[in-house]
Amino acid sequence: MIRAATEADVPLLLHFIRELSRYEKLEHDLDMDAGRLREHLFGPKATCGAFLAECDGRAVGFALHFAKFSTFKCRSFLHLEDLFVLPEYRGRGLGLALLRAVAAEAVRRDCPRLEWNVLDWNEPAIGFYRAHGADVLDDWSICRVTGAALHQLAKP
């Protein structure tokens, strides 16, 4: 079963985000805060949404999405930030159900596309996404500026 996350699910979402960071070997990048997550998901100016996958009466995965804007299309589209299912529940169709829920949200919003990133070493995810119609774009790279470099770049 897939359902929209509620405010009461914030601690559970934080748990899944931590588990995802461990899987992706990025736990050192975590700077989680329940209040900030709650505000972005459920506050008056919410910037993202989330779905939960449930199996056997237990939440076992999540997908988090937010809107981006395409200048070429002059329309908003959805970006899937995270998709994660606990390892012991993989292979049961829950990841696909979560992906479909986000795709349905994009269709509901009349978005021209749904996008996300995948780590280049994550062959199981790449295969999964390709099997369900996604193009993995080799000609685009993510650029990121953080911390001191961001502050330096922001100086006039």
Side-chain angles (χ1 to χ4, degrees):
M1 180 178 119
I2 304 300
R3 66 173 177 85
T6 67
E7 196 166 348
D9 294 317
V10 168
L12 184 58
L13 289 166
L14 291 171
H15 168 73
F16 286 141
I17 293 167
R18 181 172 305 284
E19 291 302 310
L20 173 61
S21 75
R22 286 183 183 140
Y23 175 75
E24 292 183 342
K25 302 172 185 75
L26 293 170
E27 196 170 12
H28 61 278
D29 277 344
L30 287 178
D31 180 18
M32 296 190 309
D33 178 272
R36 285 195 317 260
L37 184 59
R38 184 175 288 106
E39 185 68 21
H40 285 287
L41 281 167
F42 306 107
K45 294 182 182 180
T47 59
C48 58
F51 293 102
L52 288 171
E54 293 182 337
C55 187
D56 303 326
R58 171 182 180 214
V60 298
F62 83 110
L64 190 139
H65 62 83
F66 58 89
K68 291 177 78 173
F69 184 77
S70 168
T71 54
F72 287 10
K73 301 289 185 188
C74 290
R75 293 168 61 194
S76 293
F77 65 93
L78 281 191
H79 178 86
L80 173 62
E81 177 65 10
D82 293 317
L83 180 109
F84 177 78
V85 174
L86 292 171
E88 61 269 27
Y89 287 90
R90 292 181 188 154
R92 299 184 188 191
L94 297 165
L96 179 56
L98 285 165
L99 186 59
R100 284 183 170 149
V102 177
E105 181 66 12
V107 168
R108 186 186 73 75
R109 294 184 188 194
D110 195 31
C111 294
R113 68 178 182 246
L114 169 62
E115 286 186 348
W116 62 91
N117 303 321
V118 61
L119 292 165
D120 61 0
W121 58 260
N122 195 346
E123 287 299 326
I126 291 169
F128 169 77
Y129 295 139
R130 281 190 170 135
H132 297 291
D135 294 321
V136 179
L137 306 177
D138 295 326
D139 54 343
W140 287 84
S141 295
I142 298 170
C143 298
R144 181 179 290 167
V145 181
T146 62
L150 174 61
H151 289 274
Q152 183 63 36
L153 182 60
K155 291 181 182 175

